[in-house]
mmCIF file of all heavy atoms in Angstrom:
data_model
loop_
_atom_site.group_PDB
_atom_site.id
_atom_site.type_symbol
_atom_site.label_atom_id
_atom_site.label_comp_id
_atom_site.label_asym_id
_atom_site.label_seq_id
_atom_site.Cartn_x
_atom_site.Cartn_y
_atom_site.Cartn_z
ATOM 1 N N VAL L 231 -42.081 -8.030 -54.066
ATOM 2 C CA VAL L 231 -40.523 -7.886 -54.157
ATOM 3 C C VAL L 231 -40.136 -6.850 -53.105
ATOM 4 O O VAL L 231 -39.209 -7.118 -52.265
ATOM 5 C CB VAL L 231 -40.127 -7.544 -55.515
ATOM 6 C CG1 VAL L 231 -38.503 -7.192 -55.402
ATOM 7 C CG2 VAL L 231 -40.247 -8.654 -56.381
ATOM 8 N N LEU L 232 -40.749 -5.699 -53.003
ATOM 9 C CA LEU L 232 -40.403 -4.678 -52.002
ATOM 10 C C LEU L 232 -40.728 -5.305 -50.587
ATOM 11 O O LEU L 232 -39.926 -5.033 -49.652
ATOM 12 C CB LEU L 232 -41.290 -3.452 -52.226
ATOM 13 C CG LEU L 232 -40.766 -2.601 -53.332
ATOM 14 C CD1 LEU L 232 -41.766 -1.449 -53.532
ATOM 15 C CD2 LEU L 232 -39.397 -2.059 -53.053
ATOM 16 N N ALA L 233 -41.785 -5.979 -50.294
ATOM 17 C CA ALA L 233 -42.082 -6.571 -49.069
ATOM 18 C C ALA L 233 -40.956 -7.486 -48.635
ATOM 19 O O ALA L 233 -40.500 -7.544 -47.436
ATOM 20 C CB ALA L 233 -43.498 -7.251 -49.035
ATOM 21 N N GLY L 234 -40.561 -8.411 -49.531
ATOM 22 C CA GLY L 234 -39.457 -9.328 -49.355
ATOM 23 C C GLY L 234 -38.201 -8.687 -49.015
ATOM 24 O O GLY L 234 -37.464 -9.103 -48.057
ATOM 25 N N LEU L 235 -37.917 -7.529 -49.754
ATOM 26 C CA LEU L 235 -36.766 -6.866 -49.478
ATOM 27 C C LEU L 235 -36.759 -6.160 -48.072
ATOM 28 O O LEU L 235 -35.724 -6.257 -47.359
ATOM 29 C CB LEU L 235 -36.598 -5.672 -50.656
ATOM 30 C CG LEU L 235 -35.323 -4.998 -50.692
ATOM 31 C CD1 LEU L 235 -34.152 -6.049 -51.044
ATOM 32 C CD2 LEU L 235 -35.334 -3.905 -51.785
ATOM 33 N N GLN L 236 -37.875 -5.637 -47.705
ATOM 34 C CA GLN L 236 -38.074 -4.957 -46.397
ATOM 35 C C GLN L 236 -37.871 -6.050 -45.320
ATOM 36 O O GLN L 236 -37.270 -5.776 -44.251
ATOM 37 C CB GLN L 236 -39.349 -4.225 -46.285
ATOM 38 C CG GLN L 236 -39.397 -3.035 -47.189
ATOM 39 C CD GLN L 236 -38.398 -1.991 -46.787
ATOM 40 O OE1 GLN L 236 -38.017 -1.934 -45.588
ATOM 41 N NE2 GLN L 236 -37.887 -1.237 -47.672
ATOM 42 N N THR L 237 -38.455 -7.196 -45.574
ATOM 43 C CA THR L 237 -38.409 -8.253 -44.523
ATOM 44 C C THR L 237 -36.864 -8.679 -44.344
ATOM 45 O O THR L 237 -36.383 -8.886 -43.209
ATOM 46 C CB THR L 237 -39.145 -9.593 -45.036
ATOM 47 O OG1 THR L 237 -40.473 -9.149 -45.216
ATOM 48 C CG2 THR L 237 -38.996 -10.581 -43.975
ATOM 49 N N TRP L 238 -36.073 -8.683 -45.466
ATOM 50 C CA TRP L 238 -34.683 -9.074 -45.342
ATOM 51 C C TRP L 238 -33.918 -7.997 -44.559
ATOM 52 O O TRP L 238 -33.165 -8.262 -43.798
ATOM 53 C CB TRP L 238 -34.114 -9.270 -46.787
ATOM 54 C CG TRP L 238 -32.603 -9.562 -46.869
ATOM 55 C CD1 TRP L 238 -31.965 -10.635 -46.532
ATOM 56 C CD2 TRP L 238 -31.696 -8.658 -47.136
ATOM 57 N NE1 TRP L 238 -30.669 -10.520 -46.632
ATOM 58 C CE2 TRP L 238 -30.400 -9.346 -47.201
ATOM 59 C CE3 TRP L 238 -31.661 -7.280 -47.730
ATOM 60 C CZ2 TRP L 238 -29.150 -8.672 -47.401
ATOM 61 C CZ3 TRP L 238 -30.415 -6.722 -48.054
ATOM 62 C CH2 TRP L 238 -29.373 -7.279 -47.900
ATOM 63 N N ARG L 239 -34.225 -6.624 -44.843
ATOM 64 C CA ARG L 239 -33.595 -5.601 -44.211
ATOM 65 C C ARG L 239 -33.855 -5.680 -42.679
ATOM 66 O O ARG L 239 -33.082 -5.319 -41.950
ATOM 67 C CB ARG L 239 -34.021 -4.243 -44.736
ATOM 68 C CG ARG L 239 -33.017 -3.832 -45.870
ATOM 69 C CD ARG L 239 -33.471 -2.414 -46.473
ATOM 70 N NE ARG L 239 -33.137 -1.367 -45.433
ATOM 71 C CZ ARG L 239 -33.700 -0.203 -45.307
ATOM 72 N NH1 ARG L 239 -34.680 0.067 -46.148
ATOM 73 N NH2 ARG L 239 -33.457 0.705 -44.473
ATOM 74 N N ILE L 240 -35.167 -5.914 -42.399
ATOM 75 C CA ILE L 240 -35.569 -6.045 -40.968
ATOM 76 C C ILE L 240 -34.863 -7.027 -40.275
ATOM 77 O O ILE L 240 -34.425 -6.872 -38.977
ATOM 78 C CB ILE L 240 -37.176 -6.062 -40.849
ATOM 79 C CG1 ILE L 240 -37.850 -4.823 -41.222
ATOM 80 C CG2 ILE L 240 -37.577 -6.407 -39.406
ATOM 81 C CD1 ILE L 240 -39.253 -4.831 -41.462
ATOM 82 N N GLY L 241 -34.753 -8.276 -41.026
ATOM 83 C CA GLY L 241 -33.957 -9.264 -40.385
ATOM 84 C C GLY L 241 -32.526 -8.854 -40.045
ATOM 85 O O GLY L 241 -31.971 -9.255 -38.940
ATOM 86 N N GLY L 242 -31.873 -8.227 -40.980
ATOM 87 C CA GLY L 242 -30.542 -7.850 -40.711
ATOM 88 C C GLY L 242 -30.462 -6.760 -39.676
ATOM 89 O O GLY L 242 -29.475 -6.799 -38.784
ATOM 90 N N LEU L 243 -31.447 -5.865 -39.607
ATOM 91 C CA LEU L 243 -31.419 -4.846 -38.555
ATOM 92 C C LEU L 243 -31.626 -5.550 -37.131
ATOM 93 O O LEU L 243 -31.072 -5.098 -36.177
ATOM 94 C CB LEU L 243 -32.405 -3.877 -38.744
ATOM 95 C CG LEU L 243 -32.164 -2.842 -39.968
ATOM 96 C CD1 LEU L 243 -33.303 -1.939 -40.213
ATOM 97 C CD2 LEU L 243 -30.906 -2.115 -39.637
ATOM 98 N N SER L 244 -32.490 -6.507 -37.161
ATOM 99 C CA SER L 244 -32.687 -7.148 -35.810
ATOM 100 C C SER L 244 -31.389 -7.852 -35.306
ATOM 101 O O SER L 244 -31.106 -7.900 -33.912
ATOM 102 C CB SER L 244 -33.874 -8.167 -35.845
ATOM 103 O OG SER L 244 -33.597 -9.164 -36.673
ATOM 104 N N ARG L 245 -30.679 -8.468 -36.121
ATOM 105 C CA ARG L 245 -29.389 -9.034 -35.780
ATOM 106 C C ARG L 245 -28.476 -8.022 -35.366
ATOM 107 O O ARG L 245 -27.705 -8.173 -34.348
ATOM 108 C CB ARG L 245 -28.819 -9.802 -37.033
ATOM 109 C CG ARG L 245 -29.467 -11.173 -37.294
ATOM 110 C CD ARG L 245 -28.577 -11.984 -38.328
ATOM 111 N NE ARG L 245 -28.644 -11.388 -39.653
ATOM 112 C CZ ARG L 245 -29.660 -11.590 -40.507
ATOM 113 N NH1 ARG L 245 -30.740 -12.236 -40.238
ATOM 114 N NH2 ARG L 245 -29.552 -10.963 -41.771
ATOM 115 N N GLU L 246 -28.380 -6.818 -35.940
ATOM 116 C CA GLU L 246 -27.676 -5.847 -35.600
ATOM 117 C C GLU L 246 -28.041 -5.325 -34.164
ATOM 118 O O GLU L 246 -27.206 -5.036 -33.315
ATOM 119 C CB GLU L 246 -27.635 -4.545 -36.450
ATOM 120 C CG GLU L 246 -26.741 -4.961 -37.785
ATOM 121 C CD GLU L 246 -26.791 -3.797 -38.761
ATOM 122 O OE1 GLU L 246 -27.131 -2.667 -38.358
ATOM 123 O OE2 GLU L 246 -26.609 -3.968 -39.892
ATOM 124 N N VAL L 247 -29.315 -5.163 -33.904
ATOM 125 C CA VAL L 247 -29.870 -4.719 -32.530
ATOM 126 C C VAL L 247 -29.449 -5.774 -31.618
ATOM 127 O O VAL L 247 -29.021 -5.494 -30.365
ATOM 128 C CB VAL L 247 -31.347 -4.606 -32.630
ATOM 129 C CG1 VAL L 247 -31.963 -4.428 -31.276
ATOM 130 C CG2 VAL L 247 -31.760 -3.328 -33.506
ATOM 131 N N ASP L 248 -29.641 -7.062 -31.854
ATOM 132 C CA ASP L 248 -29.104 -8.143 -30.812
ATOM 133 C C ASP L 248 -27.611 -7.995 -30.520
ATOM 134 O O ASP L 248 -27.217 -8.093 -29.323
ATOM 135 C CB ASP L 248 -29.450 -9.442 -31.459
ATOM 136 C CG ASP L 248 -30.871 -9.706 -31.541
ATOM 137 O OD1 ASP L 248 -31.709 -9.119 -30.780
ATOM 138 O OD2 ASP L 248 -31.345 -10.715 -32.261
ATOM 139 N N GLN L 249 -26.858 -7.724 -31.625
ATOM 140 C CA GLN L 249 -25.382 -7.618 -31.256
ATOM 141 C C GLN L 249 -25.066 -6.458 -30.524
ATOM 142 O O GLN L 249 -24.311 -6.451 -29.564
ATOM 143 C CB GLN L 249 -24.687 -7.581 -32.713
ATOM 144 C CG GLN L 249 -23.220 -7.430 -32.527
ATOM 145 C CD GLN L 249 -22.534 -7.459 -33.948
ATOM 146 O OE1 GLN L 249 -23.123 -7.400 -34.971
ATOM 147 N NE2 GLN L 249 -21.206 -7.438 -33.897
#
Side-chain angles (χ1 to χ4, degrees):
V231 168
L232 282 174
L235 193 63
Q236 287 300 326
T237 303
W238 177 73
R239 268 186 72 205
I240 289 172
L243 290 176
S244 67
R245 282 189 294 277
E246 287 180 23
V247 166
D248 290 342
Q249 184 180 7

